[in-house]
Amino acid sequence: PRSDCIAAEELCLSDSTCNATYRVLENCALAKTRFSPLDHDSRVRCLNAELDLGNSSLLHCKCHRRMKRQEHCLRIFWTVHSSMTDGYFSLETSPYENPANEEHWKTDYNKLAALLSGKDCSQLDRDATNPCLKATHVCNLSKKCVRLRTDYASICTKGAGSEDACDRRKCHRSLRNFFEKVPEDFTKRILFCPCQDEFCGERRRKTIVPDCSFQSNTKPNCLWLLDSCLEDHICKSRLADFQQNCQPTDMSPDSCTQRDHAACLQAYMGMIGTPMTPNYVSNSSVEVSLWCTCESSGNQKEKCDQILGMFESNKCL
């Protein structure tokens, strides 16, 4: 049975044979982080160690998007599955549990309805022409939503106007905190609010504070963005989740391999707050992209275009 990777690791370390195999895999994963190709013997030893795990719960463990010690869990997953990142950037499988199997974070609509009275209600009525403004006011009715939204907004706008506009790493971490800890009923409203005019579109584009979390003075190469993502356990995991759930196909009527747009949107939201943070490209469309370019990619231009195309021309997304 599938278990979370932290519990599976504890079980493995208590068994001498499994423990020894796991230590080999840790060394393999460590060698890969140095981006130096393993020699033939090392590759064989690593693959054999992965095979030796057989039916161990470690081989089939997963992590939860909102769990405590998430980074530790993901490190274990990639230690056991380090062979997946060979060569091409496709990561094959997501380390995250299927959303259907996770505890559903429900909004208490009765409590929300009780708050929607008097002044609040009239305020929401006035916001009817701007769904993004309305979504913000709905967020303000939840203590957790307004607190975490205020947190990331203040961290991501600190020092605005100066050369070091903000601490991007801190900004990304607080953004992830918002999207992980606030129920999706609130976060989806804010991020995917439908707009009819540019004022609304501007508010939607600025949901994630683009000056700090998304864009910089110059666009880096998308291959550099990918490399920085693969060095980070959370970003690599979110990218694997995105690749699995937003895989486009012409064979399916809805253009999705998984045929589950909700899972794709959730995976897209998971990319926000990582080195590969996507965003809307303008105030007048729902097109999204990464902040990177494929100019000067040399003989890796095709691979670079694929990375950019996962967001820019993804029919499933």
Side-chain angles (χ1 to χ4, degrees):
R2 191 171 276 168
S3 62
D4 83 69
C5 293
I6 294 174
E9 183 191 47
E10 287 173 5
L11 203 63
C12 176
L13 296 182
S14 66
D15 176 89
S16 57
T17 308
C18 187
N19 192 333
T21 305
Y22 185 61
R23 297 306 178 196
V24 172
L25 288 171
E26 281 186 318
N27 290 331
C28 296
L30 188 64
K32 278 176 178 288
T33 60
R34 298 182 186 127
F35 283 97
S36 51
L38 297 174
D39 60 52
H40 176 72
D41 290 346
S42 298
R43 271 205 313 275
V44 170
R45 188 168 64 252
C46 294
L47 283 169
N48 284 340
E50 209 169 299
L51 290 170
D52 285 344
L53 283 179
N55 291 321
S56 160
S57 56
L58 256 183
L59 202 58
H60 307 286
C61 71
K62 292 277 186 177
C63 301
H64 299 286
R65 289 166 184 81
R66 296 172 184 253
M67 74 186 293
K68 289 179 181 177
R69 301 175 69 200
Q70 183 183 160
E71 284 191 60
H72 179 60
C73 184
L74 295 172
R75 182 187 63 76
I76 297 165
F77 179 89
W78 291 115
T79 296
V80 176
H81 297 283
S82 61
S83 65
M84 284 185 188
T85 51
D86 273 347
Y88 179 60
F89 69 89
S90 176
L91 301 170
E92 289 186 35
T93 187
S94 170
Y96 289 111
E97 185 62 84
N98 185 316
N101 299 337
E102 291 192 16
E103 180 188 347
H104 186 58
W105 288 59
K106 293 178 181 173
T107 302
D108 187 343
Y109 283 107
N110 291 332
K111 191 176 176 185
L112 203 58
L115 290 166
L116 287 170
S117 58
K119 186 180 175 184
D120 291 327
C121 223
S122 60
Q123 178 69 63
L124 288 167
D125 286 341
R126 287 202 299 276
D127 297 337
T129 54
N130 188 336
C132 291
L133 203 56
K134 184 174 180 178
T136 303
H137 285 300
V138 170
C139 172
N140 291 345
L141 296 173
S142 159
K143 283 183 183 176
K144 181 181 269 190
C145 188
V146 72
R147 176 173 58 81
L148 291 174
R149 186 172 169 273
T150 305
D151 281 355
Y152 85 69
S154 69
I155 290 169
C156 297
T157 50
K158 268 181 188 169
S162 61
E163 281 184 18
D164 53 340
C166 82
D167 186 327
R168 177 167 285 194
R169 191 180 287 271
K170 274 188 181 175
C171 172
H172 280 165
R173 189 164 59 239
S174 58
L175 263 174
R176 289 202 309 272
N177 213 27
F178 174 74
F179 283 103
E180 281 176 17
K181 293 187 176 175
V182 176
E184 286 179 12
D185 289 305
F186 293 107
T187 54
K188 279 184 177 174
R189 282 173 194 268
I190 291 173
L191 193 63
F192 303 124
C193 41
C195 288
Q196 302 298 322
D197 59 62
E198 290 204 13
F199 177 71
C200 175
E202 171 77 351
R203 190 173 188 91
R204 179 174 61 192
R205 195 179 70 83
K206 288 192 170 177
T207 294
I208 64 159
V209 200
D211 287 348
C212 178
S213 63
F214 176 64
Q215 60 198 53
S216 49
N217 293 332
T218 56
K219 282 189 175 183
N221 187 282
C222 299
L223 294 166
W224 178 86
L225 218 58
L226 176 69
D227 284 345
S228 61
C229 181
L230 295 179
E231 288 175 14
D232 177 281
H233 282 122
I234 284 187
C235 187
K236 179 161 69 168
S237 302
R238 303 293 171 85
L239 180 60
D241 198 48
F242 180 79
Q243 285 188 309
Q244 179 175 296
N245 290 298
C246 296
Q247 192 72 41
T249 177
D250 291 327
M251 305 296 285
S252 170
D254 58 3
S255 305
C256 276
T257 305
Q258 297 287 332
R259 304 195 70 174
D260 187 348
H261 286 285
C264 177
L265 290 181
Q266 186 183 50
Y268 171 84
M269 287 164 71
M271 295 302 300
I272 296 170
T274 71
M276 288 181 76
T277 293
N279 198 14
Y280 296 98
V281 293
S282 74
N283 304 336
S284 54
S285 79
V286 290
E287 285 181 45
V288 297
S289 182
L290 296 173
W291 184 260
C292 64
T293 177
C294 282
E295 290 175 21
S296 309
S297 295
N299 60 1
Q300 289 193 295
K301 176 79 165 60
E302 188 179 341
K303 178 180 175 181
C304 186
D305 286 338
Q306 284 179 314
I307 296 163
L308 202 50
M310 286 195 299
F311 295 87
E312 281 190 347
S313 53
N314 187 328
K315 288 184 198 170
C316 177
L317 178 64

